[in-house]
Amino acid sequence: MFKKNTGGYLLPILLTICLFSCAQEGEKNKAPKLGKDPVPEIVAAMTLEEKAILVCGTGMVIPPSFFEDLPEGDNPFGAFFEDNKGEDPEYDAMVERVRKFVPGAAGRTAEIPRLGITTMVVADGPAGLRINPERDENNDKYFCTAFPIATLLASTWDTELVKKVGSAMGNEVLEYGVDTILGPGMNLHRNPLCGRNFEYYSEDPLITGKIAAAMVNGIQSKGVGTSIKHYAANNQETNRNSVDTIVSERALRELYLEGFRIAVEEAQPWTVMSSYNKINGLYASESHDLLTKVLRDDWGFKGYVMTDWGGGTDPVAQMKAGNDLLMPGNRDQSKEIEKAVREGRLDEKVLDRNVERILNIVIKNPRFNGYKYTDKPDLKANAEVARRAASDGMVLLKNSKNALPFSEGLKKVAVFGNTSYKIITGGTGSGDVNEGYSVSLVEGLKNSGYSIDEETRDVYLKYMKEAEENQEKPVIAFLGAPPIPEMEVDIAMVKKLAETMDIAIITIGRNSGEGGDRKAESGDFYLSEQEKQLVRDVSSEFEAKNKKTVVILNIGGVIEVASWREYPDSILLAWQPGQETGNSIIDVLSGKVNPSGKLASTFPLSYDDVPSISNFPGIELPMTEEQKEENEKVLPSMRKVPSRVVYEDDIYVGYRYYDTFDIPVAYEFGYGLSYTEFEYSNLELSSDQFQGRMEVSVEVKNSGPVAGREVVQVYLSAPSEKLDKPLSELVAFAKTELLEPGQNQTLSFELNPRDLASFDTASSSWVAEAGEYRVQIGASSKDIKQAGSFQLAEEIAVKTVHKALSPQREIDRLYP
Ligand code: BGC
């Protein structure tokens, strides 16, 4: 494969051809075949060129619509996305062939038929499979289910449920002929403004790791792969391609790496995606510490690592670091790798190792194993899973005077807010799904037998249509259109509706995604004046008529609530619940589903209270003329602007900060209301001395009027003689089964030395300090219901890990 043709005189030519083709035929028969022969034999039979081609993907087909408003010939995605066509016809033909598989997939690896190596198709993630919904060759549709966003799934605190979502998603991956889905995303919510927080789970690494492991196990149970991403410390979109994240080893180990560790150890994802950013001076994809010492040597990761799309700059360094596959990949990269081997800059053994890791996954792929995919996943069943998961992850933030659930006899609902009519199912960018339909809030109401005021609806639809027409089109549709400002609602209309309707709903919507962070401004983190006015007017007019007002938050990340939450009677945090949004919301409002979601990230009183505020998104550094020129040519989201962010907030992220530093918040980590109540009793610890393990159990009783489920959270406060520690940390959690009124359940948890330990940088080990440990069982991080304690007589050195990822500069770290 990929060899040049030669010429000569006729007879010798014929002879040569005969001999050559016989030899080739013989070689073909002799050549080992993947699947039949051991992987090392395949690697041994590969040419250097073939190896180099395999470790680089086959590029990316960028839909023409992306370029619409740009000068011809420009490629706003940058050099990594160049096609390098025409240099090697055989290679080009191979690329053309593999690119036919699953249009809209984000990438494909090379195929090498002589060795039986098939292509591997990878597609986004993480809220569902992302492929083109339509194809040129037929009129069929290739829709995928838009599942609820990751943040909502984490708010379920229900690993069994998330596993079911994963398995439904896996069904679509398999049946559409994709081998690996590019998800789940599992970076921490370090700062509420990160534009991709919706793709991530939580501010806490335990819940992140457990939910991700459930998702990976669910998806992979279908025989397809996952790629947990973006490894690691990719907690912002501003300058995501180049920002140097300066972070302590302790914060890395305890927070930013911990979720990934749990997912690797508990679910063995087939692949890991390295992140765009640098960590302590090195690109994640070029960091041997990150990809080899930590990921493989410390945690035992068995799959392969791929770059994020166009991540890093040096293919040779990436190979050496253990970044096995470069995506989307191009021919320049493979040529550079080949050259580096020839010139002795890259040991071929390193390349062999990377190739072997890729092939070990290729042989698991459904495509390799000849799976006859149907292009007909069970969309109906999967929509049901999405609907149920969505309502289980909604968080009831406020419910005064039992405004919810809707009382019997309630029929007529006054509906306000643009987003009620045009619901946001999920975020933008690669995390967006091409679903076949979405259920808006008003449709959800109708589906459940409620009526709305048609005139109000018409006013909203007309307003939004006009606003959309007058709006500037986004250059890249993929990155999402700017929001339409909330309509100024005529107070006479509100008064009239307060007379005639039974209840009011106002939906507040927010959207964001890849390539940009949100802003701590009105209309984004804060409600706009228009929105606040709407909430105030509707609430007071309805209250005057003795009727209730409910605010629905259709958002992908945390917003400010403290300045307006007093007005409505209820606030339901619906997140972005996927294609069944309207149905799922109404399931909760009507009481069909009793809300049981709890916050997996804190809602602070104000953005000013966020611990990373002075270190987000960091600073930009001077650029060379050459860098400036390069950056001019590409999309802002693909620019490589020298920049730095220092994680001075260190281990004090989210509730670890607010609780330790006693900063009041609007709604704390773990918070969420129910239509029923729960009583906690009988906390039992297996001993008052820790000897290798500790069993903790507690009884939870539904003491309220309706059936419901409770998320039970176990927090641990550790002694802090040697190392400073957060006031307490989540060490375990569980969700009760559906408890009928009066019913109770005993929940048991096991604490291991690891749960007691903190990371001691000096010894590069996890250490549990001797002293008293307080166990607190709560309905949230602040609502502690039962507490006890035990002693650890002597310090335990739980595990020593590799010294890795040391920062090269001082960090003025926050500590109590
Ligand atoms: C995103 C990844 C995504 C990849 C492929 C990148 O821009 O950061 O999350 O998987 O594109 O679409």
Side-chain angles (χ1 to χ4, degrees), residues 60 77 81 105-107 122-126 130 182-183 196 199-200 229-230 234 237 240-241 273 276 306-310 429-431 478 514-515 637-638:
M60 188 181 186
F77 287 86
F81 296 83
V122 302
D124 282 299
R130 178 179 169 82
L182 304 172
R196 288 186 95 166
E199 294 186 64
Y200 307 143
K229 68 187 188 185
H230 308 90
N234 183 178
E237 287 301 288
R240 64 170 177 168
N241 293 281
M273 187 190 291
Y276 281 128
M306 68 174 93
T307 58
D308 197 346
W309 267 227
S430 60
F478 167 76
E514 171 166 16
S637 62
M638 298 315 295

Side-chain angles (χ1 to χ4, degrees), residues 100-349:
K100 294 218 168 74
F101 292 117
V102 199
R108 297 151 194 88
T109 54
E111 64 173 20
I112 305 176
R114 79 173 185 95
L115 299 168
I117 300 173
T118 53
T119 186
M120 173 158 56
V121 178
V122 302
D124 282 299
L129 183 66
R130 178 179 169 82
I131 57 173
N132 289 352
E134 282 159 8
R135 294 180 189 170
D136 292 341
E137 68 269 18
N138 62 38
N139 290 323
D140 293 348
K141 302 288 179 214
Y142 301 81
F143 292 125
C144 298
T145 304
F147 291 94
I149 59 165
T151 311
L152 182 149
L153 292 178
S155 310
T156 66
W157 298 61
D158 186 345
T159 49
E160 277 310 308
L161 178 81
V162 173
K163 200 168 162 199
K164 282 192 195 128
V165 172
S167 137
M169 215 182 272
N171 162 255
E172 300 187 13
V173 177
L174 180 70
E175 293 306 338
Y176 278 131
V178 172
D179 298 299
T180 283
I181 184 166
L182 304 172
M186 44 184 312
N187 297 98
L188 284 199
H189 294 168
R190 169 178 179 249
N191 183 292
L193 300 183
C194 171
R196 288 186 95 166
N197 275 354
F198 77 95
E199 294 186 64
Y200 307 143
Y201 294 120
S202 164
E203 67 189 20
D204 177 81
L206 179 77
I207 185 147
T208 296
K210 294 284 179 185
I211 298 284
M215 179 58 90
V216 169
N217 281 326
I219 297 172
Q220 293 192 170
S221 72
K222 294 291 175 189
V224 292
T226 56
S227 191
I228 57 172
K229 68 187 188 185
H230 308 90
Y231 181 65
N234 183 178
N235 305 102
Q236 65 186 63
E237 287 301 288
T238 309
N239 295 324
R240 64 170 177 168
N241 293 281
S242 47
V243 68
D244 189 4
T245 303
I246 311 294
V247 51
S248 74
E249 286 157 69
R250 181 170 177 201
L252 279 169
R253 291 286 183 171
E254 289 188 10
L255 299 183
Y256 300 104
L257 299 179
E258 179 64 1
F260 286 98
R261 178 192 69 82
I262 296 170
V264 166
E265 291 185 354
E266 297 187 4
Q268 275 297 341
W270 287 13
T271 84
V272 168
M273 187 190 291
S274 56
S275 56
Y276 281 128
N277 53 290
K278 292 177 181 172
I279 303 176
N280 293 328
L282 275 186
Y283 277 111
S285 61
E286 296 171 12
S287 167
H288 185 265
D289 276 12
L290 184 73
L291 304 184
T292 298
K293 278 196 198 167
V294 175
L295 182 64
R296 295 179 188 277
D297 300 347
D298 285 340
W299 305 343
F301 174 63
K302 306 264 187 310
Y304 73 85
V305 176
M306 68 174 93
T307 58
D308 197 346
W309 267 227
T313 51
D314 181 350
V316 177
Q318 289 172 315
M319 287 297 112
K320 288 182 182 166
N323 199 119
D324 311 292
L325 175 66
L326 310 186
M327 290 303 279
N330 65 30
R331 199 68 175 94
D332 285 347
Q333 290 171 314
S334 50
K335 281 185 179 155
E336 165 59 8
I337 289 168
E338 211 183 316
K339 193 161 163 252
V341 174
R342 292 198 200 288
E343 291 173 358
R345 286 182 286 123
L346 174 65
D347 187 343
E348 193 163 354
K349 287 205 189 80

Side-chain angles (χ1 to χ4, degrees), residues 593-615:
V593 173
N594 185 354
S596 60
K598 302 248 186 179
L599 293 181
S601 282
T602 307
F603 272 56
L605 282 173
S606 144
Y607 182 68
D608 298 335
D609 293 334
V610 173
S612 50
I613 174 165
S614 49
N615 294 287

Side-chain angles (χ1 to χ4, degrees), residues 619-691:
I619 51 161
E620 292 190 357
L621 305 166
M623 265 196 276
T624 62
E625 284 309 313
E626 204 185 325
Q627 283 171 327
K628 273 188 207 156
E629 235 171 76
E630 270 310 302
N631 284 330
E632 287 289 291
K633 290 190 225 148
V634 298
L635 273 177
S637 62
M638 298 315 295
R639 285 182 190 148
K640 286 197 161 84
V641 179
S643 52
R644 181 166 63 227
V645 60
V646 186
Y647 284 15
E648 291 182 342
D649 42 331
D650 207 51
I651 58 163
Y652 297 102
V653 171
Y655 70 91
R656 286 171 167 76
Y657 168 73
Y658 300 112
D659 291 351
T660 312
F661 291 79
D662 208 10
I663 308 292
V665 298
Y667 296 113
E668 73 272 13
F669 178 79
Y671 172 89
L673 302 173
S674 162
Y675 297 151
T676 190
E677 272 149 41
F678 297 96
E679 263 169 26
Y680 289 62
S681 62
N682 290 339
L683 169 68
E684 276 180 30
L685 305 186
S686 53
S687 165
D688 59 359
Q689 295 293 321
F690 189 86
Q691 278 150 343

